[in-house]
Amino acid sequence: MRVLSGIQPSGSLHIGNFFGMMRSMIRWQESSELFCFIVNLHALTSVTDGPLLAKNTLDAAMDFLALGLNPDKCRFWVQGDVPEHAELTWVLHNHTSMGLLERSHSYKDKLAKNFTPNHGLFAYPVLMAADILLYQAELVPVGKDQKQHLEITRDIAGSFNHLYGEVFVLPEPGIDEKLATIPGIDGQKMSKSYGNAIDIFLTQQELKKRVMSIVTDAKAVSDVKDPDACNLFAIYSLFVDEEKLSDLRERYLKPGLKYSEVKKELVEIIWNYFAPYREKREELTKRPDDVRDILKSGAEKARQVAGVTMDLVRRKVGLNY
Ligand code: ADP
Ligand code: TRP
């Protein structure tokens, strides 16, 4: 099966990205034909600092590699290194209605948060559709926030196929409902752009600062607390097994629990969880050129597949003459 997903280098990667998408991608390399890429063209819709985008791109690649992505078991590249992404996007624009894009939740959310929309932001789902359709992906592991983007992709592919015959595979979203939306330290969806993230690779001091600032309710130590309404509990649950979680649940349901103590435990738990990967991450930081080489050879491997689809598309729409 062809499995594909991408991640934006619009900031440091966080535990929402890890549990929502990265971990399942790394698992898929064992049992599927995996396509994994860093979507720097998408990040242009929100990042206008060139050196920062370049740094975040390389950092995101290092994060993936440190966490266990093996470039020999998958295709791993940077979107902007494969020109077919932009080429197919232009073709697909002509099969995308304005209304479909106007209904996009992520576009509407950004407007509500007072982002000044540019055309790139509006057209974002079309570029994402091109990313997916270019490789004829069957399954796209993502967090729940991306579900509508997958629906838009299927709509665009369906309209195109209707006109030109069966060109594109219609992809399915791979969403783990238990991990669909991981909350940030303020209880909203954790996101690079909301300032509420706990990054995967922080110093112990930074990690402590982030975890200690997780927002909890104002209940007193003597009160019984509700684990299911607690943001701290939700984050804690990502890192422990069922047994440890039910112990914590019991502590919530009895008087005496101090949120600050749970937070201190959580700092230790997160620190230890990522410990095996931290050394590899530090080692990769010292050899950025090797990481660039991995990405360049990944882009070549990706282009071989992208080229086949583009040949077919060019023929179908009449760009070959
Ligand atoms: P961000 O919102 O931080 O910019 P992206 O939009 O780049 O993250 O998301 C990259 C991947 O991580 C996507 O598959 C997305 O669904 C997933 N993801 C991001 N944040 C979360 C979250 N809070 N919970 C679950 N999955 C998430
Ligand atoms: N829009 C996705 C996100 O913000 C990133 C993305 C771009 C993507 N192209 C993709 C995800 C293709 C899956 C497949 O998370």
Side-chain angles (χ1 to χ4, degrees), residues 20 24 30 74-75 159 177 181 196-197 203 205 213 246 295 298 321:
S24 69
E30 304 303 335
C74 65
R75 291 177 175 83
S159 313
E177 285 305 326
T181 307
N196 65 355
T203 64
Q205 207 48 38
S213 52
S246 73
L295 294 168
Y321 55 89

Side-chain angles (χ1 to χ4, degrees), residues 260-320:
S260 61
E261 269 168 20
V262 180
K263 288 180 184 177
K264 278 189 204 143
E265 287 165 33
L266 183 58
V267 173
E268 280 305 300
I269 290 172
I270 300 181
W271 182 255
N272 292 333
Y273 188 93
F274 290 113
Y277 313 110
R278 205 167 289 119
E279 214 171 293
K280 172 93 195 223
R281 181 66 178 81
E282 278 160 19
E283 191 243 313
L284 288 167
T285 310
K286 294 185 196 129
R287 42 188 194 91
D289 282 341
D290 291 348
V291 176
R292 289 190 184 94
D293 286 346
I294 290 172
L295 294 168
K296 296 294 170 197
S297 83
E300 278 168 31
K301 285 202 282 175
R303 279 198 89 177
Q304 288 164 4
V305 181
V308 174
T309 309
M310 261 337 281
D311 274 352
L312 178 61
V313 169
R314 291 176 67 90
R315 253 189 294 124
K316 290 282 184 183
V317 301
L319 292 175
N320 280 0

Side-chain angles (χ1 to χ4, degrees), residues 14 110 153 163 166 232 251:
H14 53 73
K110 294 247 164 68
T153 301
L163 264 177
E166 292 305 302
L232 174 60
R251 286 163 63 200

Side-chain angles (χ1 to χ4, degrees), residues 82-92 130 303 310 314 319:
V82 174
E84 284 81 359
H85 288 257
E87 192 182 0
L88 181 59
T89 301
W90 182 254
V91 174
L92 297 182
R303 279 198 89 177
M310 261 337 281
R314 291 176 67 90
L319 292 175

Side-chain angles (χ1 to χ4, degrees), residues 4-8 10 17 21 25 35 37-39 42 79 85 106 110 124-125 127-132 137 140-143 145-146 149-150 153 189 192:
L4 169 147
S5 195
I7 199 158
Q8 291 196 65
S10 48
N17 297 139
M21 178 268 201
M25 288 291 279
F35 293 73
F37 54 117
I38 316 283
V39 298
H42 278 105
Q79 184 192 34
H85 288 257
S106 71
K110 294 247 164 68
Y124 183 109
L127 177 57
M128 179 158 164
D131 290 345
I132 298 169
V140 182
V142 281
D145 58 328
Q146 298 300 313
H149 285 152
L150 263 294
T153 301
K189 174 194 127 87
K192 298 179 205 101

